[in-house]
Amino acid sequence: MIAVFFLSKDTSQKELNSVEQTLKKFHLVTNVRFISSEQALKKFKVDFPELRQIIDNLKINPFPSSLEVSLSEKALTSNEILGFIDEMRNMKGVEDVQFNRDWVEKMQSFSKLTKAIGLFLGGILILASFFIISNVIKLSVFARKDEIEILRLVGASNTFIKTPFLLEGIVLGICGGSLSLLFLFLLVKIFPFYLGSSLGVLNELINFRYLTLSQSLSLVGGGAFIGFSGSLSSLSRFLKI
Amino acid sequence: MIELYHIWKQYQKPHWALSDITLKIRKGDFHFITGPSGSGKTTLLRIVYRELFPTLGQIIIDGRNTLRIPEHRIYKLRRIMGIVFQDFRLLFHRRVFDNVGTVLQVLGTPQKEIRRKVFNALRMVNLQHKMWEYPSRLSYGEQQRVAIARAVVNNPKIILADEPTGNLDPELAFEIMGLFKEINKQGTTIIVATHDRELIRHFGYKILFLQKGKLIGKEGF
Ligand SMILES: Nc1ncnc2c1ncn2[C@@H]1O[C@H](COP(=O)(O)OP(=O)(O)OP(=O)(O)O)[C@@H](O)[C@H]1O
Ligand SMILES: [Mg+2]
């Protein structure tokens, strides 16, 4: 995404530098390119040769110089970008900003919506896996009821009896987490094949990518935790010890 | 060591499986409990190791009221006892070695010591050659001896044995009782429930007679 900052005619070199520096410092800005009024004129002549005559007749150069600013993908969904642009608009030397404000606002609300849906689905899935694991452990406890009874009669403590089931839950959780990582991997690999370039700007927004290492680890760790607590809840209900 | 005060137990109305049993067993005593089938011997033992709660009455073991021990600490009581169950209660998908070793495993005993103690216990019941078998491939008499080995493997303070020789030939039965006698000499309190009159007569310890849940007689006190 690109925002263009038009500079006023009487902008001094110093003001230009300060505008450019401020832009470059902002973390969502990836690149700043200065386009002088001469360059703009040249480009116009190349792009619209039929209008060349008119421009030549004008004798003066009507194009202001400008700074073409590339914004990172994150800018679309960032809360800071609109405020930043407004701030820049008021800076000395900046005449006007060309920036698709509507588009950004729509994208931001769309992104909030998808996040909310994601959280909702995620919450449901977490609950579902919790109950599934606690049911698996419940079956496992019932299947080994006699054995547990015998162990208790020969002096096994609760910890001794519970530990294998807790481990089972943790292993289930870790397996679930790792499997979902695998599916995500396949999805990210395969999905773009089907949609191809038709995704267009949506691709930029949805931004198909793998999870980072720390995200992957917390997915697997979260799985382990859900497995542990699912198992624990099942044990406290059905072991009655 | 074991004191029962007015123990009553009812599984279903109107029958009383035990009625008003009061008895004291001192440390180092050896008691036989005998009586016809259904007289309440197993019930009495199950109450002692607290698999069952009595309907009425109190039990003091080693100075503690066992009925007040919460469920999550009951394992401490079981650890001072070695129990031979009438129905053996072996872990059928674990080998003989592990069945006997479980008692030590739950205490966190080092593997090496477990091996030594399990081997010794199995040798006492003449089963060391079946150490790596599964219980389902043993005869009843052999399974019973595994149960006995498990009960004695950790030198418990108390041994409760419910018909420990019920499936053994007379010679082996006497051998096992001899084993209990040796263990008793080292100070272990032992209670054996049995029908076997010959065995009782031969060993001549204290005898409690049960009939229809009542303590109808004592001998040898
Ligand atoms: N789980 C149970 N539910 C209902 N009644 C039971 C239960 N266990 C035992 N009883 C009853 O309690 C009485 C005493 O049973 P118990 O098993 O103590 O007898 P026992 O002296 O051990 O007999 P045996 O010599 O045959 O082993 C019996 O009449 C039996 O029917
Ligand atoms: Mg019985």
Side-chain angles (χ1 to χ4, degrees):
Chain A
M1 197 176 47
I2 284 181
V4 182
F5 289 76
F6 295 105
L7 304 169
S8 28
K9 281 246 162 350
D10 52 358
T11 308
S12 69
Q13 186 62 38
K14 213 174 132 197
E15 279 165 351
L16 173 64
N17 284 346
S18 112
V19 171
E20 198 172 347
Q21 284 314 310
T22 317
L23 283 170
K24 276 185 173 160
K25 258 187 254 158
F26 190 57
H27 66 99
L28 292 171
V29 169
T30 53
N31 190 31
V32 178
R33 197 156 67 100
F34 177 74
I35 296 174
S36 65
S37 54
E38 289 77 28
Q39 284 171 315
L41 181 66
K42 226 185 205 163
K43 188 164 187 295
F44 183 85
K45 283 180 181 166
V46 171
D47 287 350
F48 305 97
E50 353 34 285
L51 300 175
R52 200 179 168 145
Q53 198 72 45
I54 302 172
I55 294 291
D56 284 345
N57 288 340
L58 270 179
K59 295 271 182 334
I60 56 153
N61 182 354
F63 294 100
S65 51
S66 61
L67 288 167
E68 214 179 271
V69 175
S70 307
L71 297 169
S72 86
E73 280 167 7
K74 278 184 229 144
L76 260 184
T77 51
S78 156
N79 299 321
E80 298 161 72
I81 189 69
L82 293 177
F84 175 71
I85 298 271
D86 286 340
E87 229 170 82
M88 288 304 295
R89 200 191 294 275
N90 295 330
M91 209 168 156
K92 203 157 177 359
V94 176
E95 176 89 24
D96 194 13
V97 183
Q98 195 191 63
F99 175 68
N100 206 335
R101 193 182 182 98
D102 249 19
W103 175 236
V104 169
E105 277 173 349
K106 275 184 191 137
M107 275 306 171
Q108 287 191 350
S109 54
F110 182 66
S111 138
K112 269 182 201 148
L113 185 71
T114 47
K115 259 182 205 154
I117 292 175
L119 281 177
F120 180 69
L121 290 180
I124 286 182
L125 289 178
I126 284 174
L127 274 182
S129 33
F130 177 88
F131 285 117
I132 288 172
I133 287 179
S134 91
N135 265 307
V136 167
I137 299 297
K138 179 175 109 183
L139 291 179
S140 180
V141 167
F142 279 140
R144 294 174 61 193
K145 234 180 157 67
D146 293 342
E147 188 183 339
I148 292 170
E149 195 48 46
I150 293 172
L151 285 175
R152 303 199 64 208
L153 288 172
V154 300
S157 67
N158 290 348
T159 324
F160 187 90
I161 290 170
K162 281 180 178 175
T163 306
F165 293 107
L166 291 176
L167 286 180
E168 191 180 340
I170 291 172
V171 167
L172 282 175
I174 289 176
C175 286
S178 315
L179 266 182
S180 59
L181 270 184
L182 181 71
F183 279 124
L184 187 71
F185 177 79
L186 293 178
L187 201 71
V188 171
K189 261 235 168 339
I190 292 168
F191 211 49
F193 267 123
Y194 282 108
L195 297 177
S197 54
S198 72
L199 224 50
V201 74
L202 207 58
N203 206 354
E204 195 170 299
L205 180 73
I206 298 177
N207 186 14
F208 283 103
R209 59 177 179 84
Y210 306 119
L211 296 181
T212 63
L213 182 64
S214 70
Q215 282 171 326
S216 308
L217 286 180
S218 36
L219 181 67
V220 174
F225 178 74
I226 291 170
F228 175 81
S229 43
S231 178
L232 196 65
S233 98
S234 193
L235 287 174
S236 55
R237 263 180 304 160
F238 297 104
L239 225 48
K240 297 212 180 72
I241 47 175
Chain B
M1 180 115 237
I2 302 174
E3 299 160 56
L4 309 185
Y5 296 102
H6 305 291
I7 297 293
W8 297 71
K9 176 67 188 180
Q10 188 170 51
Y11 289 103
Q12 287 146 336
K13 285 180 179 172
H15 305 289
W16 288 94
L18 292 175
S19 4
D20 202 18
I21 307 283
T22 296
L23 57 92
K24 259 184 205 179
I25 294 172
R26 279 196 300 273
K27 185 168 157 40
D29 267 5
F30 195 131
H31 278 68
F32 282 114
I33 300 179
T34 189
S37 178
S39 58
K41 304 182 290 295
T42 299
T43 305
L44 187 66
L45 291 179
R46 287 172 79 190
I47 286 175
V48 171
Y49 62 79
R50 228 200 73 172
E51 188 186 8
L52 292 179
F53 281 85
T55 313
L56 283 169
Q58 295 299 331
I59 306 161
I60 313 283
I61 295 179
D62 220 4
R64 261 172 310 181
N65 183 335
T66 63
L67 303 182
R68 293 235 189 93
I69 300 175
E71 205 64 28
H72 66 274
R73 272 211 280 276
I74 199 66
Y75 70 91
K76 289 186 175 162
L77 176 72
R78 309 265 167 75
R79 284 180 182 181
I80 65 168
M81 299 176 163
I83 309 168
V84 184
F85 305 96
Q86 191 167 13
D87 51 357
F88 314 153
R89 306 220 189 159
L90 301 178
L91 302 165
F92 273 87
H93 59 273
R94 297 202 199 168
R95 294 171 200 278
V96 167
F97 175 86
D98 296 309
N99 265 280
V100 178
T102 305
V103 180
L104 303 166
Q105 225 183 357
V106 301
L107 299 169
T109 313
Q111 203 58 38
K112 221 171 142 187
E113 205 178 325
I114 293 183
R115 276 177 177 275
R116 186 175 59 78
K117 285 188 171 176
V118 170
F119 186 76
N120 280 340
L122 285 171
R123 205 171 48 191
M124 285 190 236
V125 296
N126 289 328
L127 264 187
Q128 68 276 31
H129 56 291
K130 302 272 175 159
M131 189 144 87
W132 304 112
E133 283 288 0
Y134 284 94
S136 52
R137 298 182 49 176
L138 302 182
S139 75
Y140 278 111
E142 286 167 336
Q143 290 180 22
Q144 187 152 41
R145 283 184 279 155
V146 175
I148 292 167
R150 182 177 64 185
V152 303
V153 71
N154 195 37
N155 302 322
K157 280 188 181 176
I158 299 170
I159 288 178
L160 306 173
D162 198 352
E163 301 282 1
T165 57
N167 293 282
L168 306 180
D169 58 79
E171 265 172 49
L172 205 48
F174 274 85
E175 209 173 299
I176 293 295
M177 288 310 298
L179 172 64
F180 282 155
K181 188 176 171 178
E182 284 306 310
I183 293 172
N184 175 245
K185 272 186 193 160
Q186 288 155 31
T188 301
T189 310
I190 299 185
I191 304 177
V192 175
T194 181
H195 303 280
D196 194 331
R197 295 214 180 120
E198 207 181 321
L199 211 63
I200 294 173
R201 216 175 301 134
H202 181 271
F203 281 90
Y205 291 112
K206 293 169 181 168
I207 311 166
L208 301 164
F209 293 96
L210 282 181
Q211 195 175 50
K212 290 183 181 160
K214 293 196 181 72
L215 191 59
I216 55 161
K218 296 181 180 181
E219 228 178 84
F221 282 81

